[in-house]
Amino acid sequence: MISRTAIRRIQQLPDDTMVFMGVINDNPTLPDNEGTGLQTRVKLAMQGAGVPPTVMNQVLEDLGQARTSSGKSALYVVGADFFERHDIQADLPERFHYGRPLKSLLAGLLDLMPSAAVLAVDREWARLFLLRQGELLELRREENVRLDDGDRWDTMVSGTRHVPGAPDSGGAGRGQPGSGPRSDSGTDLFENREAAIQQRFYNRIAAELTELLTRAEIGALVLVGPVQRVAEFKAELPEKAPFEVIGETNVTGGAGWVNPAEILEKIQPFLTEHRHRTEQALLDEVQERGVMEMERVLELLQEARVYQLVIPEDGSQLHLYRSHNREVPYFTSRKDVPHSPLDDSLMERVTLEELLPDLTDLYGIEVRRVHGEHAQRLVREFGGLAGLVRY
């Protein structure tokens, strides 16, 4: 996992630093990584990215150790005087870059791994998990308050009324002989007390959950547990909760004892479907009231009218042009503009990934990436870039 400290450190690398940034899928269970396959593939990719031999050899030597780690992929950040490898529990597409720090590569990498909260809940337990970067970590575990001796069923029922002389009616306790027919008041008292305790438990968990997810900036929640218990808990959630319940499922063994690996396997379809719905809704919104086509988007962007930029998951596949004079910025997608119309400085060809830091710093935009079939649709139907405008 890439820690928040490491993320900040990478994002703060000086712009003039020459650095290798690479995402390598080193999962030993993949056929392509058997034998010398991993080393050969990575070496060819780094040569294609122009990685110097000294840096390349450091990475290749480290790959042997990386394959024995617990991660499925590894992020390498290597400079003249530093070497970092961050193991990640997810199969990720490979990326290779050498040059000035490509900080958007890190943002794109994190975007591929959705964050979500998972609450496993039943009558006795509530366990909160947080999914980040493919790892499911348990944050909290709370046990429901059990009924004490003064609230036990048999104690309550022993206080029920009896009709003298009636045989086989039950008495001081359930199944015991007594002097008259037992009323249901004790049973009702027990059930009402138990229901009240259960509701207080769910109420408290719902309040804590709202606070925790707001603080962690998590907007998706999966509920795990018996159908009835999950329904009872959902009834206690506020109508305007700052998160969305994206799925419900059950597991074997109960909420208190379930293995996190089983939960992770169960929730993957919900995460995939949630991403699909979210990206589909975003493209529908762009089609209804947004702008598309690269040149048109760039024009409005430079007029500070775009507040949300929609790009494909791998921006390194799109090339644009940027004025060489960073003091007088100008951007275009047109090949026939050799000089900036603003100050006549030369235009240089760059990838969209290289351009993103300039665009976010200059215009304060939010970047949204779409993946898979939605990324293909963005390129095929929307011209590669799209945006939502302020006016």
Side-chain angles (χ1 to χ4, degrees):
M1 178 178 288
I2 313 171
S3 67
R4 293 186 178 182
T5 301
I7 291 172
R8 286 195 298 269
R9 184 169 61 249
I10 295 170
Q11 296 287 26
Q12 292 171 1
L13 285 172
D15 289 337
D16 57 353
T17 303
M18 295 300 287
V19 61
F20 168 69
M21 300 182 69
V23 180
I24 299 174
N25 190 323
D26 56 359
N27 188 341
T29 65
L30 297 180
D32 288 347
N33 290 340
E34 293 179 355
T36 61
L38 175 63
Q39 295 270 350
T40 302
R41 185 182 73 251
V42 171
K43 182 176 181 179
L44 290 174
M46 287 196 292
Q47 288 175 339
V51 181
T54 52
V55 174
M56 185 187 309
N57 291 334
Q58 283 182 279
V59 174
L60 292 175
E61 290 175 7
D62 186 74
L63 273 180
Q65 183 177 349
R67 292 181 68 177
T68 63
S69 70
S70 60
K72 297 179 180 179
S73 300
L75 168 67
Y76 282 92
V77 184
V78 184
D81 55 356
F82 59 89
F83 184 98
E84 297 184 16
R85 186 190 80 228
H86 304 277
D87 297 315
I88 303 168
Q89 289 288 353
D91 286 307
L92 299 172
E94 294 185 325
R95 302 278 191 270
F96 297 89
H97 166 80
Y98 182 77
R100 293 178 176 176
L102 191 60
K103 298 173 184 178
S104 62
L105 182 147
L106 180 58
L109 174 66
L110 296 174
D111 194 62
L112 281 168
M113 300 177 287
S115 296
V118 180
L119 183 71
V121 64
D122 57 18
R123 291 177 65 91
E124 296 183 348
W125 291 97
R127 297 170 64 193
L128 178 63
F129 300 85
L130 189 61
L131 176 66
R132 284 194 188 275
Q133 300 179 33
E135 296 187 35
L136 192 64
L137 305 175
E138 185 169 356
L139 295 186
R140 300 186 69 168
R141 177 192 295 240
E142 294 196 34
E143 186 177 10
N144 192 4
V145 177
R146 297 179 182 274
L147 297 177
D148 59 28
D149 288 341
D151 292 327
R152 288 172 52 203
W153 189 93
D154 55 354
T155 305
M156 293 181 188
V157 173
S158 66
T160 57
R161 293 178 291 106
H162 303 85
V163 178
D168 300 325
S169 61
R174 190 176 231 184
Q176 299 178 12
S179 60
R182 177 179 55 84
S183 79
D184 289 331
S185 61
T187 303
D188 293 342
L189 178 60
F190 172 83
E191 292 177 349
N192 291 340
R193 183 73 62 84
E194 187 180 52
I197 291 175
Q198 191 73 39
Q199 184 171 4
R200 285 197 298 271
F201 177 61
Y202 288 157
N203 269 335
R204 188 177 75 254
I205 297 301
E208 292 175 357
L209 185 68
T210 300
E211 180 183 348
L212 285 169
L213 297 197
T214 300
R215 193 162 59 239
E217 298 181 343
I218 299 294
L221 173 67
V222 180
L223 295 177
V224 175
V227 174
Q228 181 180 350
R229 305 309 167 200
V230 166
E232 290 171 349
F233 175 78
K234 281 184 67 178
E236 305 305 323
L237 293 175
E239 292 185 7
K240 296 183 179 180
F243 52 81
E244 175 188 359
V245 178
I246 65 171
E248 302 170 23
T249 187
N250 200 358
V251 289
T252 58
W257 313 107
V258 64
N259 189 321
E262 182 183 353
I263 293 179
L264 187 58
E265 182 180 358
K266 286 267 192 174
I267 68 174
Q268 290 298 337
F270 299 124
L271 299 171
T272 302
E273 177 59 24
H274 178 63
R275 164 166 276 174
H276 177 82
R277 291 197 314 268
T278 302
E279 294 184 358
Q280 182 64 55
L282 176 61
L283 293 185
D284 289 345
E285 185 179 9
V286 168
Q287 192 167 34
E288 180 180 347
R289 64 179 190 86
V291 293
M292 53 195 79
E293 300 293 344
M294 280 199 261
E295 192 62 23
R296 178 58 176 161
V297 172
L298 289 174
E299 288 175 0
L300 295 179
L301 191 62
Q302 293 173 90
E303 295 174 8
R305 293 176 58 187
V306 174
Y307 69 88
Q308 194 170 92
L309 182 67
V310 184
I311 70 172
E313 57 185 301
D314 183 8
S316 65
Q317 302 302 310
L318 291 180
H319 286 83
L320 304 168
Y321 296 87
R322 172 179 61 191
S323 58
H324 192 268
N325 183 2
R326 309 290 280 275
E327 298 298 323
V328 185
Y330 178 74
F331 311 99
T332 183
S333 63
R334 295 171 53 188
K335 299 179 181 179
D336 59 348
V337 181
H339 297 271
S340 168
L342 300 181
D343 66 348
D344 204 38
S345 63
L346 287 173
M347 300 296 292
E348 56 180 347
R349 187 171 183 259
V350 296
T351 66
L352 175 59
E353 292 290 352
E354 294 175 283
L355 206 59
L356 283 177
D358 289 344
L359 299 181
T360 54
D361 289 345
L362 288 168
Y363 307 113
I365 55 171
E366 177 189 1
V367 176
R368 296 282 300 276
R369 295 177 188 262
V370 291
H371 306 79
E373 62 184 85
H374 299 296
Q376 296 171 14
R377 183 186 172 199
L378 180 64
V379 174
R380 184 178 62 250
E381 300 179 20
F382 292 37
L385 284 183
L388 295 174
V389 294
R390 292 186 173 92
Y391 56 91

